[in-house]
Amino acid sequence: MKEEMSSVDIRYIVRELQWLVGSRVDKVYHDGDEVRFKLRTKEGRADLILEAGKRFHLTSYIKEAPKQPSSFTMLLRKHLGGGFIDAIEQHQFDRIVKIRIGNYTLIGELFRRGNIILVDSENKIVAALRYEEYKDRAIKPKAEYKFPPARENPLEVSFERFLDLMREEPELELVRALARKLNMGGMYAEEISLRAGFEKTTPVKELSDEDLKRVYDEMIRTFNDEPKPNIVFKDGVMHDVVPIELKIYEGFEKRYFPTFSEALDEYFGKITLEKAKIEQTKKLEEKKRGLMATLRKQEEMLKGFEKAMRENQEIGDLIYANYTLIERLLEEFRKATETLGWDEFRRRIDEGKKTGNKVALMVKGIDPKEKAVTIELDGKKVKLYLEKSLGENAEIYYEKAKKFRHKYEGALKAYEDTKRKLEEIEKLIEEEQKKELNVKKLERRKRKWFEKFRWFVSSEGFLVLAGKDASTNEVLVKKHMEDNDLYCHADVYGAPHVVIKDGQKAGEKTIFEACQFAVSMSRAWSQGLYSADAYWAYPNQVTKQAPSGEYLGKGAFMVYGKRNWMHGLPLKLAVGVINYDGEEYVVCAPVEAIKAHTDKYIVIRPGSMKKGELVKKLRGILKKWGYEVREEDLNAILPPGGGEIVEVVG
């Protein structure tokens, strides 16, 4: 199974991603060996991933960012954040990607362990994922960045040079010669051999110059083949992802993709998800294994304590059950040891055993130090202390039984506690497996034309649009405002242009809502005002024609003729999820407009809460209602500045 991109893969992906040139870097994230760029492109948001030693492509599998950004993250954000991508290149035919952003270049080394290095305009290293030293170059701060030693580029090699390289080691098999001499890897060497019509194991010495010309031509053709991105499956499992159709995979199950980036993302994204699933429960599984081992030890301990408790209890009971015998033995042993001494007592017991004396045969041990004799009674060994009475001897065993009972009870409590912890861990593992992974696949639908603007649907069902900035203000008025629409604008400098589509059929409610939207989406909101004025006019009153001697910048227009004013409009909006044009959208609009399309909404107005905090609170409420909304999507629809939540309905 493929685990990293080849030089050929990089050639194709770099060519495919040229459309990203000119995109703005909104944010940079770093986690482990991965760096992800959140880009603002001409097509909308895009996430570009660069993983050291592995891959480079657009991704929809978004990993949850670490709570604490690394120092590498902060350096990348400092130098690259807000910049624009000026170039995306492959270094020669190596597994090296270069992304130039302003005065800096991010270099991704995708071979072996890999690395990601930031260099400045003088090619000096600013930061790196890993600082390392090799015999021919060093990756360390302020050092000049050097590429690894150059290898032959199959795209630039002439046929004459190709011939010389092939003839250097004529004993080599064709596939080995291609892979070793021309920096392409075994798979593509095999593909070229197959396309040229030769067995991959054919020794080079058996090929004529004409044969090698065929190989050379196929090599050039292969690396310039028409893209046909696909994932190759083997026995139902993903095996490879390639940018072109390959003969070596004829007959294999394949899944084709519109772009190579999508194919790479699906392939590596699935691998990332699988790794994330394993990582998510790894620590819990380790803890579970530890608890299970503890549980087994505790079970053995419990069995031991239970056995000792039972045996001592039985011996105590046995002493009382054989009261007369034990009393007699204690008396006889006591007298004998006092009269004869312990050594003579032992000798007489040994002699008695030889002659078959019943009492002597019962004795299994003599302990002069403790003044005790161990006898066997009903198959059990009973140690009798001669200086103690029968009752005291029995009590010794009852006390031992009691101690083992306490130990058993303590061990049982610990066992039950371990068992409870194990059940909790198993429950946590189950919950973790059900829980969303820290890697999510963003399903990107094609954006509708009106989503380029701020927008809402009025309570009467009319589409209302507003510009987001100078560019969208310009586009809205010039391209999308038609004769049967209405134009609205707040009496606030820099306020957005607002257009009611088909507005001349709209009632007073829609016009009021559109003008309220105009004042709420202006800087009046960030200034903390609770009301402002706005007006509406007809499209033929709005023009780019400036008064004599004046110039209208991008997004600015003149309004001539009568303006229909509305005074003291409240700055108050609501956030909710509405269904429009067959799809669900999270929308921020005047309260009455939202209210008409959903029964769950959050009312907001200007306030002291920072926008980021407000976004988090809104996101939390929407999540409780079953809507998973990204922070950036909420940021995009809210008015400028902070605010406060006035009411939650639903």
Side-chain angles (χ1 to χ4, degrees):
M1 188 178 184
K2 181 177 194 160
E3 291 189 358
E4 66 277 319
M5 291 173 69
S6 68
S7 297
V8 182
D9 294 338
I10 293 166
R11 169 172 168 73
Y12 275 89
I13 197 64
V14 163
R15 282 166 61 185
E16 182 179 286
L17 294 182
Q18 289 308 304
W19 69 275
L20 289 177
V21 172
S23 299
R24 185 178 188 271
V25 177
D26 271 355
K27 204 86 179 257
V28 186
Y29 301 93
H30 160 239
D31 186 17
D33 281 349
E34 296 177 7
V35 167
R36 175 169 61 87
F37 295 95
K38 188 169 124 184
L39 303 176
R40 190 183 298 176
T41 77
K42 56 189 175 187
E43 299 294 327
R45 172 186 163 159
D47 290 272
L48 183 65
I49 194 163
L50 175 61
E51 184 177 0
K54 297 278 183 188
R55 56 184 177 137
F56 172 65
H57 55 83
L58 290 173
T59 185
S60 58
Y61 287 88
I62 306 303
K63 189 183 283 188
E64 196 175 297
K67 288 178 183 175
Q68 188 64 43
S70 66
S71 55
F72 189 52
T73 310
M74 300 311 289
L75 271 167
L76 292 179
R77 286 179 182 177
K78 177 185 174 183
H79 297 299
L80 306 180
F84 292 85
I85 294 178
D86 296 319
I88 297 175
E89 299 167 343
Q90 177 182 22
H91 175 65
Q92 296 183 358
F93 195 67
D94 288 336
R95 291 165 62 193
I96 297 173
V97 171
K98 298 186 291 180
I99 309 165
R100 186 157 50 81
I101 300 167
N103 294 323
Y104 297 90
T105 300
L106 195 70
I107 299 166
E109 296 183 345
L110 306 187
F111 50 84
R112 293 191 295 276
R113 189 180 173 207
N115 207 340
I116 298 174
I117 305 110
L118 181 69
V119 302
D120 61 18
S121 56
E122 295 177 355
N123 203 37
K124 294 282 171 48
I125 296 170
V126 177
L129 195 62
R130 279 183 280 273
Y131 295 109
E132 299 169 318
E133 287 200 40
Y134 307 93
K135 62 177 182 180
D136 45 19
R137 65 192 191 113
I139 306 296
K140 58 185 182 182
K142 297 182 181 177
E144 183 184 354
Y145 175 78
K146 291 179 182 177
F147 289 103
R151 299 171 71 189
E152 207 71 50
N153 186 341
L155 291 164
E156 293 178 0
V157 69
S158 66
F159 176 61
E160 289 71 26
R161 174 65 179 152
F162 175 82
L163 213 53
D164 290 342
L165 289 167
M166 291 294 104
R167 297 296 185 205
E168 277 179 355
E169 295 180 76
E171 300 299 324
L172 277 180
E173 295 174 347
L174 177 59
V175 70
R176 292 181 185 276
L178 286 169
R180 191 180 296 179
K181 305 286 183 181
L182 285 145
N183 184 25
M184 67 176 70
M187 188 185 78
Y188 280 97
E190 190 176 335
E191 174 69 15
I192 291 161
S193 303
L194 191 61
R195 288 187 180 203
F198 299 107
E199 284 291 329
K200 63 180 182 179
T201 54
T202 307
V204 173
K205 66 181 180 181
E206 292 181 16
L207 298 173
S208 65
D209 287 1
E210 193 178 315
D211 291 336
L212 288 173
K213 181 69 167 72
R214 273 167 58 195
V215 174
Y216 175 81
D217 290 342
E218 285 302 334
M219 179 183 74
I220 301 299
R221 264 195 289 271
T222 299
F223 296 149
N224 288 284
D225 207 348
E226 182 186 348
K228 204 169 182 185
N230 63 91
I231 291 176
V232 180
F233 292 82
K234 194 174 183 180
D235 300 323
V237 177
M238 288 192 304
H239 174 69
D240 202 351
V241 56
V242 289
I244 57 176
E245 196 76 84
L246 295 179
K247 278 187 174 291
I248 57 168
Y249 288 138
E250 272 184 4
F252 281 71
E253 181 194 345
K254 294 173 189 173
R255 182 181 164 197
Y256 294 91
F257 292 81
T259 66
F260 189 33
S261 200
E262 287 171 79
L264 288 165
D265 189 37
E266 184 66 12
Y267 183 87
F268 286 110
K270 286 278 172 70
I271 292 171
T272 304
L273 278 177
E274 287 306 312
K275 283 181 182 174
K277 278 182 188 174
I278 294 164
E279 283 299 316
Q280 194 153 273
T281 57
K282 192 176 178 182
K283 286 182 181 175
L284 291 173
E285 289 286 359
E286 283 173 10
K287 204 168 182 181
K288 181 184 172 180
R289 282 193 291 275
L291 286 170
M292 285 179 79
T294 302
L295 208 62
R296 282 192 292 272
K297 286 177 187 173
Q298 288 172 333
E299 282 170 353
E300 290 301 314
M301 205 181 287
L302 280 170
K303 284 176 186 174
F305 290 152
E306 190 177 23
K307 186 183 176 188
M309 179 178 68
R310 188 179 63 251
E311 285 177 348
N312 280 283
Q313 179 73 38
E314 285 173 355
I315 291 171
D317 292 345
L318 197 62
I319 290 171
Y320 278 111
N322 293 272
Y323 192 95
T324 307
L325 174 64
I326 299 297
E327 276 276 73
R328 184 167 58 83
L329 290 174
L330 280 171
E331 183 63 27
E332 285 180 10
F333 292 159
R334 195 178 295 124
K335 282 180 181 178
T337 54
E338 285 174 359
T339 307
L340 303 171
W342 284 95
D343 289 339
E344 181 59 24
F345 174 71
R346 187 190 301 277
R347 191 185 66 76
R348 292 209 182 176
I349 289 292
D350 290 340
E351 280 180 4
K353 284 181 180 180
K354 289 173 187 175
T355 59
N357 181 278
K358 284 185 179 180
V359 172
L361 288 170
M362 286 177 73
V363 176
K364 299 299 176 185
I366 297 170
D367 187 350
K369 197 174 180 182
E370 288 193 328
K371 296 180 181 179
V373 177
T374 301
I375 64 169
E376 189 175 315
L377 193 62
D378 290 353
K380 289 183 172 61
K381 287 183 180 178
V382 181
K383 194 171 188 178
L384 298 172
Y385 296 87
L386 305 187
E387 290 189 340
K388 295 183 183 293
S389 67
L390 180 145
E392 287 171 331
N393 269 286
E395 191 58 32
I396 287 170
Y397 289 100
Y398 286 140
E399 274 299 316
K400 282 183 181 179
K402 195 175 176 181
K403 283 178 183 176
F404 280 117
R405 187 182 296 112
H406 287 316
K407 285 183 179 182
Y408 177 84
E409 285 167 359
L412 184 62
K413 192 178 176 184
Y415 174 79
E416 293 296 338
D417 192 46
T418 305
K419 208 171 173 184
R420 180 183 54 77
K421 285 178 182 174
L422 185 62
E423 284 168 2
E424 285 173 3
I425 289 290
E426 284 173 340
K427 194 176 177 183
L428 280 172
I429 289 169
E430 193 180 333
E431 284 171 4
E432 283 293 319
Q433 286 169 344
K434 287 177 185 175
K435 209 188 279 182
E436 285 185 30
L437 294 168
N438 71 333
V439 180
K440 296 177 186 174
K441 188 176 191 308
L442 295 180
E443 298 297 340
R444 300 202 187 279
R445 57 174 178 77
K446 195 171 179 182
R447 284 169 32 124
K448 301 287 179 66
W449 70 273
F450 53 81
E451 289 182 86
K452 291 177 184 175
F453 311 99
R454 295 184 187 275
W455 66 278
F456 72 94
V457 180
S458 78
S459 54
E460 296 174 327
F462 290 87
L463 180 63
V464 180
L465 306 165
K468 290 181 176 180
D469 50 29
S471 297
T472 51
N473 273 326
E474 187 90 9
V475 171
L476 177 60
V477 174
K478 275 187 171 182
K479 187 178 176 183
H480 295 286
M481 188 167 72
E482 298 171 309
D483 293 342
N484 56 342
D485 297 341
L486 281 184
Y487 169 86
C488 307
H489 196 263
D491 189 25
V492 179
Y493 178 77
H497 299 302
V498 176
V499 171
I500 307 170
K501 295 304 293 174
D502 213 15
Q504 291 181 38
K505 293 179 184 176
E508 286 183 11
K509 281 181 79 177
T510 294
I511 296 172
F512 180 88
E513 287 162 11
C515 287
Q516 188 186 11
F517 193 59
V519 297
S520 296
M521 289 298 175
S522 73
R523 64 179 62 182
W525 185 285
S526 58
Q527 289 169 354
L529 302 180
Y530 274 20
S531 67
D533 302 336
Y535 63 86
W536 64 270
Y538 293 100
N540 59 10
Q541 293 176 248
V542 184
T543 177
K544 198 73 182 172
Q545 188 178 342
S548 181
E550 291 184 26
Y551 167 75
L552 293 178
K554 193 175 190 180
F557 291 86
M558 287 297 298
V559 179
Y560 293 99
K562 184 188 174 186
R563 301 182 184 192
N564 301 281
W565 285 95
M566 289 190 170
H567 299 286
L569 294 165
L571 274 74
K572 197 175 183 183
L573 297 170
V575 175
V577 177
I578 69 164
N579 192 293
Y580 178 65
D581 206 20
E583 290 190 39
E584 286 191 327
Y585 300 90
V586 61
V587 176
C588 181
V591 180
E592 291 303 314
I594 290 287
K595 205 171 170 180
H597 301 288
T598 179
D599 56 358
K600 290 182 179 179
Y601 54 90
I602 307 143
V603 181
I604 61 170
R605 69 178 180 188
S608 57
M609 190 187 294
K610 288 183 179 178
K611 193 174 183 181
E613 192 182 340
L614 179 63
V615 164
K616 282 183 171 65
K617 286 188 178 293
L618 291 170
R619 189 168 181 254
I621 296 166
L622 290 167
K623 193 169 185 178
K624 283 179 186 173
W625 291 343
Y627 300 111
E628 188 64 58
V629 183
R630 296 182 305 174
E631 285 188 17
E632 54 261 40
D633 290 339
L634 278 170
N635 254 314
I637 63 168
L638 291 177
E644 64 180 3
I645 294 172
V646 178
E647 186 183 6
V648 178
V649 179

